[in-house]
Amino acid sequence: MFDLIIRNANLPDGRRGIDIGIAGEKIAAVEVGLPGEAREVIDATNRLVSPSFVDPHFHMDATLSLGLPRMNVSGTLLEGIALWGELRPLLTREALVERALAYCDLAVGQGLLHIRTHVDTSDPRLVTVEAMLEIKERVAPYIDLQLVAFPQDGYYRASEGVESLERALDMGVDIVGGIPHFERTMQEGAVSVEALCRIAADRGLPVDMHCDETDDPMSRHIETLAAETVRFGLKGRVAGSHLTSMHSMDNYYVSKLIPLMAEAEINVIPNPLINIMLQGRHDTYPKRRGMTRVRELMAAGLNVSFGHDCVMDPWYSMGSGDMLEVGHMAIHVAQMSGLEDKKKIFDALTVNSARALGLENYGLDVGCHADLVILQAEDVLEALRMKPTRLAVLRRGKVIARTVPKITELQIEGRPERIDAGYNPTARP
Ligand SMILES: [Zn+2]
């Protein structure tokens, strides 16, 4: 006896027509023709059922603030940082909470139930930290939220940057952040990496740094981050976010760097939407793409997952909380358009990012949390292509969001009357 059975599910690994039995908050059975009854049955009609999406890199304290107090005119990363600096003194806990809750609503509707957000610790008021700690607690029934102490204006470069980060961790922030390429000098950047890894080791916390988010091939803080990871015994607990300078580095140097990163078991978190938007801005033509070397890093066995990074904030005026939009862009920017490539990209939005975040009981195995999303698509390829409607989203075995399927009614003689969102007209009546 189950509480809920999802019948006729296609799974991301390619299995089709599978039944998923859910008991309480957990997956209790995954098999074809599952016998038994349930209080509720959902027929997935051979649609894709995936573990819920995971965003390993976001800025929830900045989201939905677009236009406050003004727009980013140049559209650049540096004007974005300056603009955030203008907005920061105007931030209130109430407004931060309201915007974050609104974003979480958007995320849930799209099956995004696990988010790691960087929280700016540059303002010694730490109103951002207070607000995000409140949000973490309030959304806990439906979203796993991890908080990174993020010294946006530089750990050393901002006045009180060192003390503020320490206080944020004391208040209960989960992860140590950093931004070495934004410190005053390369050397200060390297020193900040060492200091922040030491704090993480002392406190037993993970590390997730904005690292080398620049087109400068000489920005090599990832090398220091990997080395300090090994030295402080933090293997597997450290993430390098962005790593865009790797795009521009000399190939010989990278041939030494990637094995070092693999030794340190660095979690690599590119942000395709933001990287393609903000990098290469100083180039005329040829113009660099500025996303890190995804294919090569995956081939070397590194855990690569993709972040959304921004939605309607000083850095990025677009975005929708849809991780499939992130995957769609990743396919293009990384030029990973092959069949196996795309499957890897889907994994990078789900299982890889769950691993980066250290999520427990994530996935589709028996015993995992029943955190699931049913998509209006047959398989992962169609999902990545169409960014389809999330028909139902389950959290711990309960449906928490539904969206009506997208159906087009055609009024053209001699053509079908109904197109199921145009996904695969030959496969459905
Ligand atoms: Zn970021």
Side-chain angles (χ1 to χ4, degrees):
M1 182 70 189
F2 301 98
D3 294 303
L4 174 68
I5 296 177
I6 301 173
R7 295 207 184 271
N8 305 309
N10 292 350
L11 306 187
D13 64 9
R15 283 180 285 166
R16 299 174 72 88
I18 302 291
D19 295 342
I20 302 171
I22 295 165
E25 299 188 346
K26 297 270 172 72
I27 295 174
V30 180
E31 58 188 75
V32 177
L34 180 67
E37 299 295 315
R39 278 194 278 114
E40 188 184 355
V41 176
I42 298 175
D43 187 355
T45 64
N46 285 98
R47 314 268 198 188
L48 176 65
V49 177
S50 167
S52 42
F53 292 103
V54 183
D55 182 358
H57 186 114
F58 194 62
H59 293 266
M60 203 174 281
D61 52 0
T63 196
L64 305 183
S65 68
L66 184 69
L68 300 174
R70 62 176 178 86
M71 297 294 281
N72 182 337
V73 179
S74 66
T76 58
L77 173 61
L78 291 179
E79 186 176 340
I81 294 175
L83 179 48
W84 177 244
E86 292 170 36
L87 175 57
R88 194 188 279 126
L90 310 175
L91 294 173
T92 65
R93 177 169 171 164
E94 294 70 31
L96 284 161
V97 165
E98 193 182 323
R99 287 196 287 267
L101 283 174
Y103 181 76
C104 289
D105 294 343
L106 197 64
V108 165
Q110 312 205 64
L112 171 54
L113 303 185
H114 323 268
I115 301 173
R116 174 180 284 182
T117 184
H118 293 253
V119 185
D120 186 6
T121 58
S122 303
D123 180 348
R125 291 187 302 148
L126 292 180
V127 63
T128 45
V129 174
E130 286 175 5
M132 292 307 120
L133 284 166
E134 179 183 336
I135 285 292
K136 182 182 172 180
E137 204 176 303
R138 285 178 68 172
V139 304
Y142 52 98
I143 289 180
D144 301 314
L145 189 61
Q146 296 184 352
L147 308 183
V148 185
F150 173 48
Q152 170 77 70
D153 288 357
Y155 181 60
Y156 292 126
R157 193 169 172 176
S159 59
E160 298 182 60
V162 173
E163 298 76 12
S164 293
L165 184 129
E166 202 81 36
R167 275 173 42 227
L169 296 174
D170 289 342
M171 287 164 72
V173 171
D174 314 290
I175 298 157
V176 181
I179 186 165
H181 57 277
F182 196 70
E183 302 295 347
R184 286 189 181 86
T185 64
M186 286 289 180
Q187 211 224 327
E188 268 193 11
V191 173
S192 79
V193 171
E194 198 258 345
L196 292 160
C197 285
R198 183 183 297 277
I199 290 171
D202 288 348
R203 290 177 177 256
L205 298 175
V207 173
D208 188 338
M209 286 191 197
H210 283 66
C211 195
D212 303 324
E213 188 184 4
T214 158
D215 294 311
D216 176 4
M218 298 311 291
S219 188
R220 295 175 169 188
H221 297 296
I222 180 56
E223 179 188 70
T224 309
L225 183 59
E228 298 298 343
T229 298
V230 174
R231 189 158 78 95
F232 284 110
L234 295 168
K235 277 188 186 186
R237 284 163 48 199
V238 173
S241 283
H242 291 294
L243 305 179
T244 55
S245 74
M246 287 185 72
H247 182 94
S248 300
M249 283 174 184
D250 172 73
N251 285 339
Y252 181 83
Y253 174 70
V254 172
S255 75
K256 175 174 176 260
L257 175 63
I258 291 183
L260 175 66
M261 292 167 68
E263 181 195 352
E265 298 169 28
I266 297 289
N267 293 287
V268 175
I269 307 180
N271 296 283
L273 295 167
I274 282 30
N275 298 155
I276 196 67
M277 183 69 100
L278 296 182
Q279 299 304 307
R281 288 279 176 146
H282 291 72
D283 295 353
T284 53
Y285 291 95
K287 201 182 245 302
R288 285 169 288 180
R289 291 171 184 233
M291 188 164 79
T292 197
R293 304 187 186 206
V294 173
R295 185 191 294 283
E296 293 75 8
L297 288 159
M298 283 181 170
L302 282 132
N303 183 43
V304 179
S305 56
F306 297 112
H308 201 318
D309 202 1
C310 302
V311 171
M312 296 183 73
D313 68 14
W315 297 273
Y316 190 61
S317 58
M318 315 273 290
S320 62
D322 181 1
M323 292 310 292
L324 287 172
E325 191 178 324
V326 176
H328 191 269
M329 183 59 80
I331 288 169
H332 289 80
V333 182
Q335 298 185 323
M336 288 180 65
S337 50
L339 184 62
E340 292 307 314
D341 288 341
K342 287 182 189 161
K343 291 177 183 169
K344 286 179 191 160
I345 297 282
F346 193 86
D347 284 346
L349 307 170
T350 50
V351 286
N352 295 8
S353 33
R355 188 175 144 202
L357 268 57
L359 297 180
E360 290 176 354
N361 301 316
Y362 176 91
L364 289 176
D365 294 329
V366 170
C368 289
H369 291 309
D371 293 350
L372 304 169
V373 53
I374 305 175
L375 298 100
Q376 192 185 0
E378 292 193 11
D379 54 32
V380 296
L381 304 179
E382 204 170 59
L384 285 162
R385 184 170 64 87
M386 297 298 297
K387 293 160 271 170
T389 302
R390 312 309 127 91
L391 300 170
V393 179
L394 281 77
R395 170 71 167 178
R396 304 289 196 261
K398 295 208 165 48
V399 175
I400 58 165
R402 282 185 192 274
T403 307
V404 293
K406 181 181 169 190
I407 305 286
T408 301
E409 290 179 5
L410 272 190
Q411 300 183 5
I412 301 172
E413 213 178 295
R415 297 309 305 153
E417 287 176 8
R418 215 164 161 273
I419 294 178
D420 190 341
Y423 296 121
N424 188 353
T426 57
R428 292 181 180 282

